[in-house]
Amino acid sequence: MLMVGLTGGIGSGKSAVASRLAALGAVIIDADRVARDVVAPGTEGLAEIVAAFSDRVLDAQGALDRAALGAVVFADAAARRRLEAITHPRVRARTAELAAAAPPDAVVVNDVPLLVEVGLAPTYHLVVVVQTAVATRLARLAHDRGMDRAEAERRIAAQADDARRQAAADVVLTNDGPLDELHAAVDALWHERLVPYERNVRERHAVRPEQVVLTGPDPSWPQQYARLAARIRRAAGADVRVDHIGSTAVPGLAAKDVIDIQLTVSSLAEADGALAERLADAGFPRLPGDWWDNPRPPGSARWEKRLHGSADPGRPVYLHLRVAGSPGWRYALLMRDHLRADPGQRAAYLQLKRELVASAPDSATYGTLKDPWFDEEHLRAEEWAAQTGWRP
């Protein structure tokens, strides 16, 4: 199934997005509701909270008095950690139960107000952020919830700001206009991205652009890479090496809008094992067939690798699994760093790209025609590496 994280600041209209997605067929898991359920009257969670903080945190009906509990833990970091140790594992367990109960072809949307603040973004295939101007949010909180301005400002300030949410967002839905505009944006997201993304994950299908179109340079490419790399690390193991490679890793260079990423493995046997399935589950299925890099200088044995792609139709990726220290692994890092360091070669490569796109816009031919230039660039890069003491 596809796991989507949905978040947004208080008053942004996140609930309206969740409602629309539910109407389209998504399975919604509301984190706030789960958090209330795990400490409802009669639960072990509530009993443990009372044992930790006394019955002063209960109301007259024996339910949790959230205001009273907040007063206890707000300014006491140790008390807050004790509360989180009680509630967070229960919220995670209940969330996992709800997700497991969803159909195998479901789009599961996790509505999590503090998704960014608690670092949950890498646990989802896609993160959607609802963004709304602060003035609009203040007006909504006053009109819809009767909240005075000082309290509304305090709550907004206590959450992540727009820049931090944008850094975690694969999709930003702007909600400063009328509701029908928001619904139209959600509908497009559902039909054009979420539904095909779920199908691609389930069928282990990677998106591959057939035509070469140069775009950019896009200053958001490094940030996009960082989000993808966090998901890859979570799937592969936190201690693995993941690198941004290729043209989108070179500032100022136009490129195909495909993020190239290198995942370092100890052996191709490791790449062929359980790791391949974990990557596919995370949205990076393996591309069928045999893959290798052309050796440089030409004439030696080809450099074998494994190649995965992205199941997300909105973000093509090539994920290259190469063995640590192998020629292909080293070459990918050397080329990137030399082009970053040498503006002349960067300009020459860009000119070559433009000429080849004009004459050979299909991906296979475009890649082949670049080989002679890279044979020469390899020699220049090796000379640069020797002069500078470069190491991968």
Side-chain angles (χ1 to χ4, degrees):
M1 63 185 67
L2 189 74
M3 301 294 289
V4 177
L6 172 64
T7 194
I10 185 171
S12 64
K14 175 175 57 65
S15 296
V17 172
S19 296
R20 186 66 173 184
L21 287 169
L24 290 166
V27 174
I28 307 296
I29 300 176
D30 185 330
D32 279 345
R33 182 174 300 173
V34 171
R36 291 192 296 270
D37 289 347
V38 299
V39 294
T43 62
E44 292 182 0
L46 181 59
E48 195 168 340
I49 287 174
V50 172
F53 301 104
S54 82
D55 59 6
R56 60 180 169 162
V57 299
L58 297 178
D59 62 19
Q61 288 73 44
L64 183 65
D65 185 332
R66 293 183 176 276
L69 179 60
V72 172
V73 305
F74 181 76
D76 187 337
R80 189 163 60 252
R81 287 193 296 270
R82 192 184 322 159
L83 175 63
E84 290 169 350
I86 295 169
T87 60
H88 286 189
R90 288 177 167 84
V91 169
R92 287 194 296 268
R94 180 56 182 156
T95 299
E97 288 177 2
L98 293 170
D105 61 349
V107 175
V108 178
V109 176
N110 296 263
D111 180 346
V112 186
L114 299 181
L115 182 154
V116 174
E117 289 84 343
V118 297
L120 289 176
T123 66
Y124 303 109
H125 291 100
L126 196 81
V127 171
V128 178
V129 168
V130 186
Q131 182 169 293
T132 308
V134 171
T136 304
R137 294 165 62 189
L138 290 170
R140 287 177 182 162
L141 291 171
H143 180 270
D144 299 339
R145 306 192 195 184
M147 194 178 294
D148 67 65
R149 187 178 182 89
E151 176 63 11
E153 289 178 340
R154 185 188 71 79
R155 294 202 185 190
I156 289 173
Q159 296 181 334
D161 59 18
D162 286 346
R164 190 174 168 196
R165 286 198 194 90
Q166 285 179 357
D170 301 287
V171 176
V172 175
L173 294 175
T174 302
N175 184 27
D176 292 313
L179 187 60
D180 59 348
E181 288 185 5
L182 179 65
H183 283 176
V186 174
D187 292 355
L189 172 65
W190 175 262
H191 293 292
E192 297 171 14
R193 194 162 184 179
L194 299 185
V195 170
Y197 194 174
E198 183 283 320
R199 182 175 60 250
N200 289 343
V201 170
R202 179 164 35 89
E203 296 179 355
R204 301 305 199 233
H205 172 71
V207 176
R208 298 187 63 192
E210 295 298 328
Q211 297 293 310
V212 178
V213 178
L214 294 185
T215 65
D218 185 340
S220 76
W221 278 332
Q223 198 171 71
Q224 293 184 55
Y225 156 75
R227 292 194 294 269
L228 295 162
R231 293 183 180 118
I232 292 166
R233 287 192 184 95
R234 183 174 181 274
D239 58 344
V240 298
R241 176 169 177 171
V242 182
D243 290 283
H244 190 188
I245 59 170
S247 294
T248 61
V250 180
L253 187 61
K256 295 180 294 182
D257 191 17
V258 178
I259 305 294
D260 281 280
I261 300 174
Q262 179 167 274
L263 171 59
T264 300
V265 294
S266 60
S267 67
L268 292 181
E270 178 193 1
D272 293 336
L275 174 59
E277 196 64 18
R278 294 200 303 271
L279 290 171
D281 287 341
F284 303 97
R286 182 168 168 175
L287 290 167
D290 297 325
W291 297 91
W292 61 89
D293 300 307
N294 291 332
R296 291 184 171 87
S300 58
R302 66 191 188 185
W303 298 341
E304 284 192 77
K305 65 178 178 181
R306 301 295 182 260
L307 186 63
H308 290 236
S310 170
D312 179 3
R315 171 32 60 212
V317 171
Y318 288 135
L319 176 59
H320 309 256
L321 277 63
R322 296 186 176 104
V323 175
S326 66
W329 175 88
R330 181 183 184 278
Y331 177 80
L333 299 170
L334 174 59
M335 291 301 100
R336 178 200 65 189
D337 290 351
H338 183 230
L339 288 174
R340 283 176 173 176
D342 191 327
Q345 289 308 310
R346 194 162 61 242
Y349 183 36
L350 177 56
Q351 181 60 33
L352 174 71
K353 283 169 167 276
R354 288 172 173 160
E355 292 172 357
L356 293 182
V357 167
S359 61
D362 65 284
S363 293
T365 306
Y366 173 81
T368 301
L369 291 178
K370 288 195 298 182
D371 281 343
W373 188 87
F374 270 107
D375 289 339
E376 296 180 4
E377 166 60 9
H378 174 249
L379 299 177
R380 291 187 291 263
E382 288 291 2
E383 182 178 352
W384 170 80
Q387 291 171 349
T388 61
W390 175 86
R391 293 291 183 273

